Amino acid sequence: MRIALGGLFHETNGLVRGSTSLADFKAYQFASGSDLLAYRSTRCEIGGFLVGAERLGWDPMPSLFAAALPGGPVDHGAFETLVQRLVEGTTEDPRPDGVLICLHGAMATTECSDADGELLRRLAEALGPDVPVVATVDFHANTSDLMTHHVDALLGYDTYPHVDMFDRGLEATSVLADILRAGNRRAVAHRKVGLVTPPQVQYTNLAPMRTIMERLREVESSNDAVVSVTPGFPYGDVDCMGLSVTASSADSSSAEQIANAITNDVAALSEDFSFSAFSVEEAVDRALAAEGPVVLVDSADNVGGGGPGDGTAILQEWLRRGRPGLIVALTDPVAVATCVAAGIGGRVSLTVGARTDDRHGSPVELSGTVRLLGDGRYVHRGSYAAGITTQMGQSAVVESAGNTIVLTERRVMPFDAQQLLSLGVSPAYCQALVVKSAVAWRAAYGEFARQVIEVDAPGICTANLHRLGLSEQHAQMIRPRSILSSRQSCVSP
């Protein structure tokens, strides 16, 4: 069997100023042809595809895999270039017997709001009616009818934080093997629940998402079906935004019945989504009074959701108190250059953060000592995409009044503890650690946290979706209906 594999991966935040370029993909994850085989050693979907293909004795036909950090809409010209390369690499002669493709599911371009659906449409058109396609998508996919119409199965992650990407890739190969053995295409049923939630309430270790995922696994275990629940990504405000249920089965009526049943289960829990957060001032009060390490969750500047990673509200308030013990990482290439010029051990006076826009705080002035400089390269060793290499660019560690400020040239999703450990900074020995993430930070730093405090800081990834000015249609679908600061909102690990 010749099995084509590849993918195009981007989570698009429509609130970000500027677009995502072809260079952004090439700077993050970009491999084509035989270079794609190197992903076999990683715990991501492509790694799962390759290991599964090897176990089944398939001949892998690697096409293209390109991913960029979450950010603004993908430049449409870049999208056209990438899709053309992906489709051509997937459909070259001799044609593949099947296709495995890794997508995010919430990609939009400067001209197309459902880029994943458009990609799958073009791929199916090029392949013809006889080649089955199985796709994996992120937990935050804004799954659409167009996407599900052009696949035999769509497998979303089961976990948030996402620690099952390799498993879903491996499962996709098993599903494709079943399709090829049976010689029959599968039916896919897709339902929108009419529910838009912020990422903070999509944590799969707590209800209601835990209840929903347990129900999904129960249904899958008693049926010959593949079922996915994708809560969606609310920061794009596209037509297909929101929670979806997708079921795939050899029997169309079974797929329809399962999708309807899970949809009803989710709808019954829609009012159970709840979230609240402390104001910045309240959060710092509690962090200073607690036994550390405390994790201060700056989800409004969620780099994994398109945030710039240079929000300063928590740092500014902490420094105002004149207390030591904070660790915070900021994207700031200008400040990094100053530190490089000063050298290790050099004294610096810096203006840090808030360089991208005025929506994530104000620049902060501080003085300190450059404790370490590095190239910012590290390999993931934790439960999130182990084996993947992240490039932070030139990086500097500055000590200021007993606080540690990590400065990087590039934005970094805080999904692996090597982000700090590779620079000699241990989160185990601090009073408080700021994480610019909603939930996925738990895969990296959850084990260090004695207490977790959700912070209602300013930013484009705020949990209070009512602030975003979403379309009237989507505003009616938001849960929780309101999010207010509360002294009872401190969440335990």
Side-chain angles (χ1 to χ4, degrees), residues 286-297 318 324-327 420 426-435 441 445-453 490-493:
R286 293 188 68 94
L288 288 170
E291 181 180 358
V294 174
V295 169
L296 292 165
V297 185
W318 190 278
L326 184 73
I327 298 175
L420 298 180
S426 175
Y429 304 103
C430 69
Q431 180 61 28
L433 167 68
V434 178
V435 291
W441 65 267
Y445 301 113
E447 65 180 288
F448 299 103
R450 290 180 180 270
Q451 193 174 98
V452 179
I453 301 176
C490 185
V491 181
S492 61

Side-chain angles (χ1 to χ4, degrees), residues 201-431:
V201 299
Q202 298 170 4
Y203 182 32
T204 53
N205 283 10
L206 295 177
M209 281 310 306
R210 179 174 178 172
T211 306
I212 292 168
M213 301 313 291
E214 288 173 348
R215 172 62 175 150
L216 181 153
R217 287 187 284 272
E218 175 188 314
V219 169
E220 281 191 322
S221 67
S222 57
N223 292 274
D224 180 22
V226 176
V227 188
S228 293
V229 173
T230 49
F233 184 66
Y235 303 108
D237 202 18
V238 294
D239 290 342
C240 54
M241 188 171 77
L243 195 148
S244 283
V245 176
T246 307
S248 166
S249 174
D251 179 68
S252 60
S253 62
S254 175
E256 297 284 341
Q257 291 171 9
I258 290 170
N260 289 339
I262 297 293
T263 298
N264 290 336
D265 291 339
V266 173
L269 296 169
S270 64
E271 297 302 327
D272 292 350
F273 289 91
S274 62
F275 181 82
S276 57
F278 287 107
S279 69
V280 174
E281 295 79 8
E282 290 173 313
V284 171
D285 280 343
R286 293 188 68 94
L288 288 170
E291 181 180 358
V294 174
V295 169
L296 292 165
V297 185
D298 186 6
S299 54
D301 189 22
N302 177 10
V303 178
D310 65 358
T312 58
I314 297 174
L315 172 63
Q316 192 163 46
E317 181 62 22
W318 190 278
L319 293 179
R320 189 180 71 82
R321 307 295 181 90
R323 299 285 293 276
L326 184 73
I327 298 175
V328 60
L330 296 173
T331 309
D332 194 327
V334 176
V336 169
T338 301
C339 293
V340 170
I344 296 174
R347 291 287 298 175
V348 289
S349 295
L350 301 171
T351 301
V352 301
R355 295 192 185 275
T356 306
D357 54 40
D358 59 359
R359 296 178 287 179
H360 298 83
S362 304
V364 172
E365 294 185 2
L366 56 86
S367 297
T369 303
V370 180
R371 292 302 184 196
L372 186 140
L373 297 171
D375 65 4
R377 179 186 181 277
Y378 65 87
V379 177
H380 289 219
R381 295 180 178 175
S383 58
Y384 179 91
I388 290 291
T389 298
T390 288
Q391 304 278 0
M392 298 186 286
Q394 281 204 303
S395 304
V397 178
V398 175
E399 184 179 311
S400 176
N403 300 296
T404 301
I405 296 90
V406 177
L407 302 167
T408 64
E409 283 188 311
R410 299 178 181 175
R411 292 187 300 141
V412 183
M413 298 186 293
F415 295 173
D416 193 282
Q418 289 300 313
Q419 173 202 19
L420 298 180
L421 295 175
S422 66
L423 294 172
V425 177
S426 175
Y429 304 103
C430 69
Q431 180 61 28

Side-chain angles (χ1 to χ4, degrees), residues 151-225:
V151 296
D152 290 73
L154 186 144
L155 286 70
Y157 305 160
D158 289 345
T159 60
Y160 184 35
H162 312 319
V163 297
D164 65 328
M165 295 180 287
F166 176 87
D167 297 322
R168 297 289 73 75
L170 200 59
E171 182 186 6
T173 64
S174 177
V175 172
L176 182 58
D178 289 343
I179 295 169
L180 292 171
R181 277 194 292 266
N184 295 317
R185 306 295 296 274
R186 285 202 168 202
V188 180
H190 172 237
R191 301 287 183 272
K192 278 290 183 189
V193 181
L195 187 62
V196 171
T197 60
Q200 290 81 354
V201 299
Q202 298 170 4
Y203 182 32
T204 53
N205 283 10
L206 295 177
M209 281 310 306
R210 179 174 178 172
T211 306
I212 292 168
M213 301 313 291
E214 288 173 348
R215 172 62 175 150
L216 181 153
R217 287 187 284 272
E218 175 188 314
V219 169
E220 281 191 322
S221 67
S222 57
N223 292 274
D224 180 22

Side-chain angles (χ1 to χ4, degrees), residues 1-5 37 40 45-62 96-101 132-134 168-182:
M1 290 287 182
R2 282 174 54 85
I3 305 300
L5 55 92
L37 300 177
R40 188 196 178 285
E45 300 95 303
I46 300 293
F49 292 166
L50 290 166
V51 170
E54 181 180 282
R55 291 177 182 176
L56 290 162
W58 288 347
D59 181 15
M61 182 177 146
D97 297 292
V99 176
L100 296 166
I101 187 163
V133 176
V134 175
R168 297 289 73 75
L170 200 59
E171 182 186 6
T173 64
S174 177
V175 172
L176 182 58
D178 289 343
I179 295 169
L180 292 171
R181 277 194 292 266

